[in-house]
Amino acid sequence: ETGVTQTPRHLVMGMTNKKSLKCEQHLGHNAMYWYKQSAKKPLELMFVYNFKEQTENNSVPSRFSPECPNSSHLFLHLHTLQPEDSALYLCASSQQKGRVLAGGPITYNEQFFGPGTRLTVL
Amino acid sequence: DQQVKQNSPSLSVQEGRISILNCDYTNSMFDYFLWYKKYPAEGPTFLISISSIKDKNEDGRFTVFLNKSAKHLSLHIVPSQPGDSAVYFCAARYGGATNKLIFGTGTLLAVQP
């Protein structure tokens, strides 16, 4: 496997179900991301993990629970979702490059995306 | 309020001609801009980027132009090929210690043979 993989590719679930989305990156990156893409809307960042630590939670409802057990794997646990949560969920990874100048901003390479999981909540 | 806007939802171009995709942004704190390309049933793939300290970056058939005073960037593809037909997303990154990207809604490019 190369790049960023996501499973399952398609998921249909009821509002009372609990399911998990899985992402795995084979690029040796140290940062991973969850995005949501709803119909006719831009990609929205949900969560960011750097070196397995969550560094960003973009006001995501608690029915979405991320988990990053190591720098290669990222999960999104889903429970009691609503029909409006139906969307394409994309995982991405990138390599944090470190500070080019002392005290300067941390730079990153571009983000590499997986193929996404198409989620339908009934 | 959308900080990154792609006002053309679609664009149709003849093979061999130039494709110009546009993107406008509102936040002057963005320090890095990227273009991604997306085929159906696949995730977005990185195409080309530009730092806010530059006004042009070229990679083969793809050139990105940045006009900071107008808060506008554009992607030029020349010559356009049928395989370029895809959705193109513009993205902008906040400066500082974050790698948070803000995406536009995308432009569907159709290159006609």
mmCIF file of all heavy atoms in Angstrom, chain A residues 1-6 23-29 32 72 93 112-115:
data_model
loop_
_atom_site.group_PDB
_atom_site.id
_atom_site.type_symbol
_atom_site.label_atom_id
_atom_site.label_comp_id
_atom_site.label_asym_id
_atom_site.label_seq_id
_atom_site.Cartn_x
_atom_site.Cartn_y
_atom_site.Cartn_z
ATOM 1 N N GLU A 1 0.842 -1.198 0.000
ATOM 2 C CA GLU A 1 0.000 0.000 0.000
ATOM 3 C C GLU A 1 0.876 1.247 0.000
ATOM 4 O O GLU A 1 1.898 1.299 0.645
ATOM 5 C CB GLU A 1 -0.902 0.043 1.249
ATOM 6 C CG GLU A 1 -1.990 -0.992 1.265
ATOM 7 C CD GLU A 1 -3.199 -0.550 0.446
ATOM 8 O OE1 GLU A 1 -3.099 0.404 -0.326
ATOM 9 O OE2 GLU A 1 -4.234 -1.202 0.585
ATOM 10 N N THR A 2 0.472 2.231 -0.741
ATOM 11 C CA THR A 2 1.224 3.471 -0.768
ATOM 12 C C THR A 2 0.289 4.624 -0.470
ATOM 13 O O THR A 2 -0.927 4.508 -0.561
ATOM 14 C CB THR A 2 1.844 3.683 -2.161
ATOM 15 O OG1 THR A 2 0.796 3.692 -3.122
ATOM 16 C CG2 THR A 2 2.849 2.585 -2.479
ATOM 17 N N GLY A 3 0.880 5.761 -0.082
ATOM 18 C CA GLY A 3 0.081 6.957 0.114
ATOM 19 C C GLY A 3 -0.791 6.877 1.346
ATOM 20 O O GLY A 3 -0.392 6.375 2.393
ATOM 21 N N VAL A 4 -1.992 7.408 1.223
ATOM 22 C CA VAL A 4 -2.943 7.468 2.316
ATOM 23 C C VAL A 4 -4.148 6.602 1.954
ATOM 24 O O VAL A 4 -4.749 6.796 0.899
ATOM 25 C CB VAL A 4 -3.391 8.923 2.581
ATOM 26 C CG1 VAL A 4 -4.366 8.975 3.753
ATOM 27 C CG2 VAL A 4 -2.186 9.821 2.837
ATOM 28 N N THR A 5 -4.457 5.643 2.812
ATOM 29 C CA THR A 5 -5.596 4.762 2.563
ATOM 30 C C THR A 5 -6.676 4.992 3.608
ATOM 31 O O THR A 5 -6.373 5.336 4.757
ATOM 32 C CB THR A 5 -5.182 3.280 2.575
ATOM 33 O OG1 THR A 5 -4.564 2.991 3.849
ATOM 34 C CG2 THR A 5 -4.178 2.986 1.477
ATOM 35 N N GLN A 6 -7.918 4.798 3.187
ATOM 36 C CA GLN A 6 -9.050 4.964 4.088
ATOM 37 C C GLN A 6 -10.002 3.796 3.931
ATOM 38 O O GLN A 6 -10.266 3.341 2.809
ATOM 39 C CB GLN A 6 -9.811 6.259 3.775
ATOM 40 C CG GLN A 6 -9.064 7.511 4.165
ATOM 41 C CD GLN A 6 -9.912 8.763 3.989
ATOM 42 O OE1 GLN A 6 -9.604 9.623 3.172
ATOM 43 N NE2 GLN A 6 -10.976 8.862 4.776
ATOM 44 N N CYS A 23 -7.962 5.520 8.899
ATOM 45 C CA CYS A 23 -7.027 6.120 7.944
ATOM 46 C C CYS A 23 -5.630 5.629 8.281
ATOM 47 O O CYS A 23 -5.247 5.544 9.455
ATOM 48 C CB CYS A 23 -7.098 7.636 8.045
ATOM 49 S SG CYS A 23 -5.882 8.499 7.024
ATOM 50 N N GLU A 24 -4.878 5.319 7.247
ATOM 51 C CA GLU A 24 -3.490 4.885 7.435
ATOM 52 C C GLU A 24 -2.624 5.579 6.402
ATOM 53 O O GLU A 24 -2.968 5.609 5.213
ATOM 54 C CB GLU A 24 -3.378 3.370 7.300
ATOM 55 C CG GLU A 24 -1.995 2.833 7.603
ATOM 56 C CD GLU A 24 -1.946 1.313 7.641
ATOM 57 O OE1 GLU A 24 -2.997 0.656 7.471
ATOM 58 O OE2 GLU A 24 -0.842 0.772 7.845
ATOM 59 N N GLN A 25 -1.513 6.144 6.848
ATOM 60 C CA GLN A 25 -0.595 6.778 5.894
ATOM 61 C C GLN A 25 0.729 6.017 5.888
ATOM 62 O O GLN A 25 1.247 5.634 6.934
ATOM 63 C CB GLN A 25 -0.427 8.279 6.198
ATOM 64 C CG GLN A 25 0.109 8.627 7.565
ATOM 65 C CD GLN A 25 1.597 8.858 7.606
ATOM 66 O OE1 GLN A 25 2.285 8.780 6.578
ATOM 67 N NE2 GLN A 25 2.126 9.161 8.783
ATOM 68 N N HIS A 26 1.240 5.831 4.674
ATOM 69 C CA HIS A 26 2.454 5.040 4.463
ATOM 70 C C HIS A 26 3.586 5.944 3.971
ATOM 71 O O HIS A 26 4.464 5.507 3.234
ATOM 72 C CB HIS A 26 2.175 3.954 3.423
ATOM 73 C CG HIS A 26 0.955 3.143 3.708
ATOM 74 N ND1 HIS A 26 0.980 1.976 4.432
ATOM 75 C CD2 HIS A 26 -0.357 3.339 3.398
ATOM 76 C CE1 HIS A 26 -0.256 1.490 4.531
ATOM 77 N NE2 HIS A 26 -1.078 2.283 3.916
ATOM 78 N N LEU A 27 3.524 7.219 4.357
ATOM 79 C CA LEU A 27 4.456 8.215 3.840
ATOM 80 C C LEU A 27 5.475 8.668 4.873
ATOM 81 O O LEU A 27 6.295 9.541 4.577
ATOM 82 C CB LEU A 27 3.658 9.434 3.331
ATOM 83 C CG LEU A 27 2.657 9.106 2.218
ATOM 84 C CD1 LEU A 27 1.692 10.272 1.996
ATOM 85 C CD2 LEU A 27 3.378 8.769 0.928
ATOM 86 N N GLY A 28 5.394 8.138 6.091
ATOM 87 C CA GLY A 28 6.314 8.555 7.141
ATOM 88 C C GLY A 28 6.050 9.951 7.664
ATOM 89 O O GLY A 28 6.935 10.580 8.262
ATOM 90 N N HIS A 29 4.838 10.454 7.467
ATOM 91 C CA HIS A 29 4.486 11.794 7.914
ATOM 92 C C HIS A 29 4.224 11.830 9.420
ATOM 93 O O HIS A 29 3.983 10.790 10.048
ATOM 94 C CB HIS A 29 3.252 12.295 7.169
ATOM 95 C CG HIS A 29 3.520 12.607 5.731
ATOM 96 N ND1 HIS A 29 2.495 12.778 4.799
ATOM 97 C CD2 HIS A 29 4.671 12.784 5.045
ATOM 98 C CE1 HIS A 29 3.034 13.054 3.628
ATOM 99 N NE2 HIS A 29 4.343 13.056 3.745
ATOM 100 N N MET A 32 -1.512 14.373 10.889
ATOM 101 C CA MET A 32 -2.674 13.783 10.214
ATOM 102 C C MET A 32 -3.901 14.627 10.488
ATOM 103 O O MET A 32 -3.993 15.312 11.527
ATOM 104 C CB MET A 32 -2.889 12.336 10.670
ATOM 105 C CG MET A 32 -1.736 11.405 10.295
ATOM 106 S SD MET A 32 -2.047 9.664 10.616
ATOM 107 C CE MET A 32 -3.139 9.233 9.237
ATOM 108 N N SER A 72 1.021 6.848 12.200
ATOM 109 C CA SER A 72 0.597 6.292 10.910
ATOM 110 C C SER A 72 -0.903 6.037 10.828
ATOM 111 O O SER A 72 -1.424 5.808 9.741
ATOM 112 C CB SER A 72 1.308 4.955 10.636
ATOM 113 O OG SER A 72 2.685 5.138 10.549
ATOM 114 N N SER A 93 -2.436 13.640 5.408
ATOM 115 C CA SER A 93 -1.231 13.654 6.230
ATOM 116 C C SER A 93 -0.228 14.622 5.621
ATOM 117 O O SER A 93 -0.303 14.961 4.428
ATOM 118 C CB SER A 93 -0.618 12.251 6.347
ATOM 119 O OG SER A 93 -0.051 11.827 5.121
ATOM 120 N N PHE A 112 -1.307 15.399 1.883
ATOM 121 C CA PHE A 112 -1.668 14.330 0.965
ATOM 122 C C PHE A 112 -2.956 13.690 1.463
ATOM 123 O O PHE A 112 -3.053 13.316 2.630
ATOM 124 C CB PHE A 112 -0.552 13.275 0.902
ATOM 125 C CG PHE A 112 0.680 13.763 0.215
ATOM 126 C CD1 PHE A 112 1.595 14.561 0.872
ATOM 127 C CD2 PHE A 112 0.930 13.419 -1.108
ATOM 128 C CE1 PHE A 112 2.732 15.013 0.239
ATOM 129 C CE2 PHE A 112 2.076 13.866 -1.753
ATOM 130 C CZ PHE A 112 2.982 14.667 -1.076
ATOM 131 N N PHE A 113 -3.916 13.548 0.561
ATOM 132 C CA PHE A 113 -5.244 13.075 0.940
ATOM 133 C C PHE A 113 -5.466 11.618 0.579
ATOM 134 O O PHE A 113 -4.935 11.110 -0.413
ATOM 135 C CB PHE A 113 -6.320 13.910 0.237
ATOM 136 C CG PHE A 113 -6.499 15.273 0.829
ATOM 137 C CD1 PHE A 113 -5.671 16.323 0.473
ATOM 138 C CD2 PHE A 113 -7.513 15.514 1.753
ATOM 139 C CE1 PHE A 113 -5.832 17.578 1.039
ATOM 140 C CE2 PHE A 113 -7.688 16.769 2.315
ATOM 141 C CZ PHE A 113 -6.843 17.801 1.952
ATOM 142 N N GLY A 114 -6.300 10.959 1.382
ATOM 143 C CA GLY A 114 -6.817 9.647 1.040
ATOM 144 C C GLY A 114 -8.016 9.787 0.118
ATOM 145 O O GLY A 114 -8.456 10.897 -0.193
ATOM 146 N N PRO A 115 -8.600 8.646 -0.308
ATOM 147 C CA PRO A 115 -9.727 8.690 -1.242
ATOM 148 C C PRO A 115 -11.051 9.069 -0.587
ATOM 149 O O PRO A 115 -12.011 9.382 -1.279
ATOM 150 C CB PRO A 115 -9.775 7.270 -1.796
ATOM 151 C CG PRO A 115 -9.204 6.436 -0.700
ATOM 152 C CD PRO A 115 -8.156 7.281 -0.041
#
